[in-house]
Each structure stands twice: as structure tokens, then as C-alpha cells.
Amino acid sequence: MITVVDARKNYGDFAALDNVTLDIPAGSLTALLGPSGSGKSTLLRSIAGLEQLDGGRIVIGGRDVTGVAPQKRGIGFVFQHYAAFKHMTVRDNVAFGLTIRKRPKAEIARKVDDLLEIVGLDGFQHRYPAQLSGGQRQRMALARALAVDPEVLLLDEPFGALDAKVRADLRQWLRRLHDEVHVTTVLVTHDQEEALDVADRIAVLNKGRIEQVGDPVTLYDRPANDFVMSFLGSVARLGGQLVRPHDIALDRSRERAEALDARVGGSPGVVEAVVERVVRLGFEVRIDLRTDSGVRFAAQVTRAEADALGLADGETVYARATTGPDAAELHPALAI
């Protein structure tokens, strides 16, 4: 387990970490999620020992490592940019940590081959970093970090420099890798989808403080405040309340919309709006809307629901939230 207790870090008048306390369970994959400047990378670097705290403690596996040098913390660190040794082969890059620890050559060869097979680079041993794709170089970096049997693996936006398709593929690969090696892993990201996709637990940071910690389902369905809700997925403001676009139902009839809305406790009410644009996004359809007062928001429905509504630009609809104690029995299709 990693325990952070009352961590404080200031850069001049800027509080990068403001009394942060966090427990990271052993064997978990925990994401530190937040906007730029929220303190997530500072927290990760403090756990690694690359930043010295102004106050507070870092405990790893029951050992207080606050004043311990990075190389003595049992940490594997992977940066966004691969920091590969360009003049070394893939095999030598992965073996580097073991080599400087003067491990026996036979042990190094066996371990490197095993790791390259695990990360999907078997057969690439004799290539150089320049001969690999971005995704392959990042997998090599992960293998190099794992080679020294770290107690903790720290990943600082490891996929940030890659294109969207490669990032999505590597997220799935990272989750499978973690399930296989079970090393305690902390991932820094500003990508909400990435955090929801791979993490067991998510800590949402904002302005140097932790807003909420929990599993992805809890944070998405029961956010602690408007910041967490708005940062962890798209939101629309409906009748003064934040609502997920997929929790908005549309109806051509005001009377029917109001009758259904009356059955949803805590509803923000029915809002009249004009369709500005209908955007088909594969299975889902986004409907951009505008109220008479100029407030813009979007509803997200299935293609079947959109076809049944048959909406066109300029038409008037009535929007309501489907969330509430009785919402489970009110499928959006009933509002068409």
C-alpha cells in the first residue's frame, strides 16, 4: 500500500499540493485524474521521490520513504516521453536496470525475454528505438520499468504523446498487463475516458486538493460535487442542474413530458428548446439544443430514439431529466 499523509508542496505562492491525504491499495491500478495544474503530476513525482515535499509523509509498504532517495524506494517510473537509450537495442534498454545492479547475465537474459513476451515485443530484441512505433517504444519503456521488480509502478501520462487509436489500444493492453503482473500502479492522466477505462480507483484532484476518491462507477454515478461530475464526463445544465446528456429525454409534446417528469423525484423540470443540429455519432446521436434565453446544451440518444423522434433543425422539443428515484422505470423511449 502507498499512503500519502498531509502532503504539501508549494512553488512560490502556488500550492501544488494542499494537505493531500490518500491511500492507494496494494495491487491496485489507481488513476490520478485532474486538469492541468491540479497537482496530479506533483503528487506522482513526490511518491517517486523526484519532488521533495514541504510537509507531510509518503509511506510505501509500511516504510516511511519521505526522505529516501528515488532509487531506494522500489519504484518503476514511466514518463510520457520514452527516455529510451537510442544507441541501445530493445534488449539492452530493457536490461539496463538489471545491468547496473550487476545481476548475472543468464538471469538478465531470461528476465528480459520473459518481459518482452509479456509486453508483446518478442522478436524485437535486436531492434533500436528508432525502428519501433510510438506504441512499441512505450511498451518497451514499461518492460524496462518492470525489469527491476518494482514495488510500485508510476506512470506519468504514458500515452499522452500517441494518437487516439494507439492510446485506446494501449489502455486495454495496460489493463491486461496489470491483471497479469499485479504490481501496485499509479497512473496520472487528464483523460477521463482513460481513467474510467483502466483504473480500479480514481482520485480526482483540483487546485492541489483531492475532490473525491472511489471506483469509476461510484464517481460517475454519485459524484461528490459539480466539479467531479463535470470533469468526469460530459454534462448539460438543465433547469439549473447538471445532467448527463444521456440522462436527458426529449418529447414533442409538452403535456407528455411534464406528466413523465412529475414521476422523477428531484427533477429540474421540463425545458423548452429549439433543435440547432442533429449529429449522428455511430450508434448514438447528439442533439444540440438552445433555449429561448440562449442557453445551449446537448442531449444524447440512441439512433432508434432519434429516428422515432424524427427531429430536424429549428423544431421545438421539450427536454427533461430521466435521473431520480423513479427514473429506472422510465426508459427514454417512452418519452417519444
Side-chain angles (χ1 to χ4, degrees):
M1 173 182 280
I2 304 171
T3 301
V4 181
V5 183
D6 295 329
R8 300 189 306 280
K9 180 67 179 180
N10 293 284
Y11 299 103
D13 294 332
F14 176 69
L17 297 176
D18 188 2
N19 290 301
V20 169
T21 294
L22 177 66
D23 288 330
I24 298 172
S28 70
L29 198 167
T30 298
L32 304 180
L33 176 67
S36 297
S38 61
K40 55 189 186 298
S41 288
T42 301
L43 178 56
L44 190 82
R45 292 174 64 84
S46 298
I47 293 171
L50 300 175
E51 296 282 358
Q52 293 301 309
L53 294 175
D54 296 326
R57 295 184 298 124
I58 305 289
V59 179
I60 298 177
R63 182 170 66 111
D64 190 329
V65 297
T66 309
V68 175
Q71 62 270 26
K72 296 181 179 179
R73 293 193 181 195
I75 295 291
F77 205 114
V78 178
F79 298 91
Q80 177 175 335
H81 299 287
Y82 325 106
F85 298 110
K86 297 179 181 179
H87 64 289
M88 292 184 181
T89 63
V90 169
R91 174 187 287 278
D92 291 339
N93 264 281
V94 175
F96 179 77
L98 295 169
T99 302
I100 63 173
R101 286 168 173 78
K102 302 186 184 301
R103 305 306 302 165
K105 290 184 178 180
E107 177 188 329
I108 293 174
R110 182 176 63 256
K111 186 145 199 176
V112 169
D113 286 343
D114 288 346
L115 279 168
L116 289 176
E117 183 175 356
I118 288 172
V119 302
L121 290 178
D122 189 27
F124 290 75
Q125 284 89 337
H126 301 295
R127 294 194 186 185
Y128 288 88
Q131 297 172 305
L132 303 178
S133 68
Q136 289 169 336
R137 286 196 292 271
Q138 198 58 288
R139 282 189 275 160
M140 179 190 71
L142 281 161
R144 184 175 62 189
L146 289 169
V148 295
D149 292 323
E151 189 174 348
V152 173
L153 179 63
L154 305 179
L155 310 176
D156 192 1
E157 303 209 42
F159 309 139
L162 305 173
D163 65 57
K165 177 63 169 65
V166 175
R167 282 204 310 271
D169 290 343
L170 281 180
R171 286 202 303 263
Q172 295 177 18
W173 171 82
L174 175 61
R175 183 66 242 188
R176 292 194 299 269
L177 175 66
H178 179 265
D179 290 341
E180 185 169 344
V181 299
H182 299 294
V183 63
T184 303
T185 302
V186 185
L187 165 72
V188 160
T189 181
H190 63 270
D191 186 328
Q192 302 92 328
E193 183 179 341
E194 184 168 282
L196 290 168
D197 192 2
V198 304
D200 305 317
R201 298 170 78 253
I202 300 172
V204 180
L205 284 86
N206 182 34
K207 297 180 180 179
R209 297 184 176 183
I210 292 180
E211 297 282 351
Q212 188 175 1
V213 181
D215 63 86
V217 173
T218 298
L219 265 64
Y220 190 85
D221 291 342
R222 297 188 292 280
N225 51 44
D226 283 357
F227 175 83
V228 175
M229 183 171 183
S230 61
F231 195 78
L232 209 67
S234 300
V235 295
R237 189 166 289 279
L238 190 68
Q241 292 185 22
L242 292 181
V243 180
R244 301 285 185 197
H246 55 73
D247 288 329
I248 297 175
L250 303 177
D251 202 308
R252 288 178 173 276
S253 164
R254 178 192 289 274
E255 291 75 16
R256 187 164 51 220
E258 289 178 344
L260 288 167
D261 183 65
R263 298 166 60 189
V264 179
S267 166
V270 173
V271 175
E272 181 179 325
V274 174
V275 176
E276 287 195 319
R277 189 179 179 215
V278 178
V279 184
R280 292 185 175 269
L281 304 167
F283 173 73
E284 295 176 325
V285 178
R286 189 187 76 231
I287 301 174
D288 295 333
L289 302 155
R290 185 190 73 252
T291 67
D292 287 342
S293 60
V295 175
R296 286 181 166 84
F297 65 99
Q300 197 164 315
V301 300
T302 67
R303 289 180 61 181
E305 290 162 0
D307 290 344
L309 281 163
L311 295 176
D313 295 357
E315 292 189 324
T316 298
V317 294
Y318 301 92
R320 63 180 179 85
T322 61
T323 52
D326 304 316
E329 63 188 73
L330 299 177
H331 190 278
L334 296 177
I336 294 171

